Structure formats: structure tokens, C-alpha cells
Amino acid sequence: MLRILIVMAVIAGCSSQTDVEVGQVPSPSQTTSAEDNATPTDLVLAIDQLLVDLYTTEWDFESVDDVVAVGDVRAGWLLADLMRFYQTGPAYEELIFGFSELTGAPQDGSQVGFVWATNHLLAADVPAYEGYIEHKEAVFTPVEDRWEQFFTADVSMDWRLVTWGGVLADERPLDDNGPCNCIPALDHPPTTDAAGGSWYEEDRIVFGLVVGDEALALPKHQMEFHEMVNTTLDGREIGIPYCTLCGSAQAYYLDDVAGTDRLVLRTSGLLQRSNKLMYDLTTGSAINTFTGEALTGPLAEAGVKLEQISVVASTWGQWKTAHPDTRILARDGGVGRVYANDPLRGRDDDGPIFPVGPVDPRLPVQEKVIGVITADGTPVAFPVAPALAALATGPIEYEGLTVRLADSLRVYDEDGDEVISHESFWFGWSQFHPDTVIWDDFGS
């Protein structure tokens, strides 16, 4: 009943638009803004009816045919969204067939339907139709009502890029480390000194960061379970998200943000091009995990972009040698848990499992890179394996930057000051920094 009520509310709120030419995938130059292309009345009405039919028990598939018959390829976005929630059965088959008929994309059985469909639309840079956000809200919010705040307080979200990651939002209050039907963040978890971390093998990976005089190591397998830590280092409140899908652990200051005393980072359950979308529990604002830019809510209205802290991926042995006074997360995470050594079990070995769209071909999709932004705003990526090999003969000098090996790879500017960096898969870095340059002296 809740689903039907939401859908009916959307129908009541959708207004008629002027007809436009349809049936062709617009070129990228024509798709810079969804508002540049009015939505034909027939498309709005057809999608309204499709949603009503989907949420009743007597769906006869004709409503998908009616959407396809309008011939507007932009409707493919809503069909792709529906494939995320209908992955088996007659409804799924009809959505797959309808999408292929609408867009001309040949069906690809090697990919899950919504991944195939979304990647196709991203590759063609198809714009959203006017009214798409309201339709998407009607599909998504019955699954998790906490997402409604992102739709209603949208400032700069590109909803075409957003899909469901398969989990619900973490809505527990700060310092409630109890169980949830979500990916559970850890708030102010207990830590031990390096000697107390003897349980962790020295060749295993930690994500390390230094704030002031304090260093902290977070074992990778624990972060693969929690994906988010809110803690305090050297008197500063810090948020540390880890996106397992794009191989990126990052850190942000949370206590010096205009308009709020401190933020509380949580996993939303949504993704942007295979990067987890986090949100602030205090203000309800969605935040781009990769860039720290607020996209919805009061933080977005204030133009907030969180300040980053370098995070390195190092072995535990390297890290504690470089930082003998380091702390390390308690073996049980402070929640009495026994953590599996490999909780992902090779999930990402064959590439991204969620939509990412076209990937910059200059490097393999999941090659690990260290990414930095220079003082003049230029993104630079250093492929990790070649950089480590090159550092055997001395520091790397590139575009006014110097890369050295300490606890791991670190990057410095011409004044010798560290440039904020973190590791990620190439597809993650390049899709959020499409103008990035690559250090490639190793190829000469």
C-alpha cells in the first residue's frame, strides 16, 4: 500500500510538457542538461501507468510496451532502475526486452540487467527526462524511507548515476555500535598499542593515517565489514569511509564544518558509479564519498566540501616500523566480533559489479593508483606497482611532485609539504577526476 500511495502522489505532481523529437540517442553535446529537452506528455503518462501497474498484482506488461512505444530513449533510465529491483521472473524479462527495443542495445547475458542497461545509457550520455527524479523516488523510497530526504533536499545530485547497493541505510545514533540491518559503522572503537596488535600478521594490509602526533592503523578485513569509522585523533573528529567496490579508503575532518558542531558519517546503501554514497546523520545530507562534496541537504546548500586527510595502504609490519607509537583497532572491533580474514571472497576479481559507465582506457579498470590533487587543481594518478618498482632506484619526480616510500607511497610538493593522497582502483579515480593526468615515465 505504501508503494502505491507514493506512486499516486507522483502521478498527481507530474505536469504536462511540450512534445519533442524522440527515438534517437542524443549526442553528448545535446545532453548536458535534462532541462534542455522537454518531456512529452505521452511519456510522463506512460511511465506513471507503468509504476501503478508494477505495484499491483495484475500487471499485464502492456505498460512497458506503452513506454517503449513513445520512443523516447530517456525512459531507459527508469527501466534500468526497475531492473535493479526486479531481477528475475516475467517482469524482469519484459523490462530487459523493452529496454533493448527502446535503445537498440543488444541484450548481454553476461551482465546483470541493470548493470548492462545503466552502462549503456552512461556510455551514450543520455540525459534524464523532466520528471525522472520524482519517478525514481517512487521506486526507491519504499525500499528505504530514509532516502526520501536525499530526493526532497537535492541540490546537485545526478540521479542517473545512483543505484542501490543492496543494503539499507545505517541510521543508528552516534556511538551505538550495536547490530543493524545495514553496513554498521564503528564509532569511537577501542584501540590497542602496536604490541597489542601482535594478533595481526605483519604482511597483511592496514589503512593508516596520521593526525597531529597520533597514528592509527585499521586492518583491511575489519574495514571490509564496517566500511566506516568515526573516531577521534589528536583531539580532532575524523570520519574514515572505505569503499570496497572501488578500493578506496579515505578520511575527512568532521568537527570544523560550518553550520554544525560535528558530522556523523554513515553508509546510505546507495552507490554512485560503484562508489558508496555516504551521508551525515546530523543534517541528513548526502555526501560524495570520493570527493567529500555534499550533494543534498543543508551541507550542500552551504557548499560544504569536507577536508581530506591522507590515508595509505601499507602492511602492518611497515606501518608499525614507521610509527612505533601507532594504535590499531582492537581485534574484536570493540563489539565482540570475530572477523573473517577475507569477507569479500574475491567478489571484485572480475571487475566492477555495479554500473560505472565508460572507463578511461589508459589503465586497466582495477589497477591500483595513488591519486592527488595539485595546488593548481590538477588531478594526478601514480600507478602503484610501477611506482614501487621505480622507487627502488630513488624518488619519483613528476610535474613538481615528489613520490617517496616511507610507511607507504607518499607524495610531496616543491616545498616538501605532503600532498593529500589516497589509493583507489583506476576506474574510481578516473571517473571522479576525468581530467586526471598519469605518471607514466615507467613506460619510456
Side-chain angles (χ1 to χ4, degrees):
M1 178 60 70
L2 175 60
R3 289 176 180 266
I4 296 174
L5 289 174
I6 293 176
V7 172
M8 295 307 293
V10 169
I11 292 173
C14 287
S15 58
S16 298
Q17 305 295 331
T18 305
D19 288 349
V20 296
E21 294 184 6
V22 296
Q24 299 295 323
V25 177
S27 66
S29 64
Q30 295 173 309
T31 63
T32 54
S33 170
E35 294 181 358
D36 292 339
N37 299 284
T39 302
T41 303
D42 289 350
L43 177 60
V44 174
L45 295 176
I47 293 179
D48 288 344
Q49 188 59 51
L50 169 60
L51 293 178
V52 171
D53 289 351
L54 277 174
Y55 297 145
T56 66
T57 58
E58 299 180 357
W59 184 32
D60 60 7
F61 308 140
E62 289 184 4
S63 52
V64 174
D65 295 338
D66 291 341
V67 171
V68 173
V70 176
D72 191 323
V73 72
R74 295 174 296 173
W77 286 112
L78 202 280
L79 298 183
D81 289 333
L82 289 170
M83 289 179 207
R84 180 64 183 97
F85 299 99
Y86 292 85
Q87 295 195 23
T88 60
Y92 173 72
E93 297 298 329
E94 184 68 13
L95 290 166
I96 288 280
F97 180 79
F99 183 90
S100 186
E101 287 286 300
L102 177 67
T103 63
Q107 298 181 41
D108 182 358
S110 67
Q111 289 186 313
V112 177
F114 79 97
V115 176
W116 157 73
T118 305
N119 280 339
H120 174 81
L121 295 170
L122 289 172
D125 195 18
V126 175
Y129 59 88
E130 189 171 349
Y132 168 64
I133 295 176
E134 291 80 8
H135 285 148
K136 186 159 188 163
E137 180 181 2
V139 173
F140 275 64
T141 54
V143 176
E144 169 59 271
D145 58 12
R146 199 165 188 88
W147 297 335
E148 185 176 353
Q149 63 191 330
F150 306 148
F151 286 95
T152 57
D154 179 16
V155 174
S156 58
M157 185 86 81
D158 185 344
W159 285 103
R160 300 175 306 163
L161 309 181
V162 177
T163 192
W164 182 37
V167 297
L168 301 181
D170 181 356
E171 57 184 5
R172 299 165 305 151
L174 182 64
D175 293 324
D176 177 359
N177 287 329
C180 66
N181 188 18
C182 64
I183 298 176
L186 271 183
D187 297 333
H188 301 108
T191 60
T192 68
D193 59 14
S198 61
W199 59 272
Y200 199 55
E201 297 175 11
E202 294 198 354
D203 62 349
R204 297 187 66 190
I205 299 298
V206 296
F207 299 121
L209 64 157
V210 178
V211 177
D213 295 326
E214 295 188 17
L216 176 65
L218 300 169
K220 181 181 179 183
H221 72 303
Q222 292 176 308
M223 289 299 287
E224 285 175 336
F225 180 81
H226 292 287
E227 297 192 14
M228 183 75 71
V229 169
N230 293 274
T231 193
T232 304
L233 280 178
D234 199 45
R236 299 295 306 273
E237 295 293 340
I238 307 294
I240 310 162
Y242 175 46
C243 177
T244 61
L245 293 165
C246 58
S248 179
Q250 297 173 250
Y252 295 97
Y253 289 114
L254 303 182
D255 56 3
D256 189 21
V257 179
T260 181
D261 291 336
R262 64 148 298 159
L263 308 186
V264 179
L265 297 186
R266 291 287 186 257
T267 295
S268 72
L270 299 174
L271 303 171
Q272 289 180 302
R273 295 182 72 169
S274 205
N275 181 253
K276 71 182 291 160
L277 182 67
M278 62 185 181
Y279 79 104
D280 167 42
L281 189 66
T282 305
T283 64
S285 302
I287 303 170
N288 184 318
T289 302
F290 212 90
T291 66
E293 179 186 0
L295 302 173
T296 73
L299 297 183
E301 291 175 357
V304 167
K305 186 173 183 179
L306 301 181
E307 181 183 355
Q308 290 203 46
I309 308 159
S310 285
V311 178
V312 302
S314 177
T315 65
W316 173 224
Q318 276 184 297
W319 180 261
K320 67 181 181 180
T321 297
H323 305 282
D325 294 330
T326 188
R327 308 290 294 180
I328 183 172
L329 189 61
R331 185 173 190 173
D332 70 348
V335 293
R337 183 171 186 85
V338 177
Y339 294 89
N341 285 335
D342 183 18
L344 300 184
R345 295 177 293 180
R347 181 197 64 188
D348 304 308
D349 288 352
D350 296 324
I353 61 175
F354 286 96
V356 297
V359 177
D360 189 320
R362 289 180 290 169
L363 291 174
V365 175
Q366 287 183 287
E367 174 138 0
K368 291 181 179 178
V369 301
I370 301 296
V372 300
I373 307 294
T374 65
D376 66 2
T378 302
V380 182
F382 294 89
V384 171
L388 287 172
L391 286 169
T393 60
I396 296 169
E397 304 287 345
Y398 181 73
E399 299 291 330
L401 301 172
T402 301
V403 183
R404 297 189 179 93
L405 181 61
D407 44 22
S408 186
L409 298 176
R410 290 191 182 267
V411 184
Y412 302 86
D413 63 20
E414 293 177 313
D415 297 324
D417 297 323
E418 184 179 4
V419 182
I420 302 303
S421 67
H422 67 90
E423 183 179 283
S424 74
F425 292 139
W426 167 243
F427 83 81
W429 178 261
S430 60
Q431 70 185 0
F432 287 103
H433 300 292
D435 298 327
T436 190
V437 298
I438 306 173
W439 168 74
D440 59 0
D441 290 352
F442 57 89
S444 59

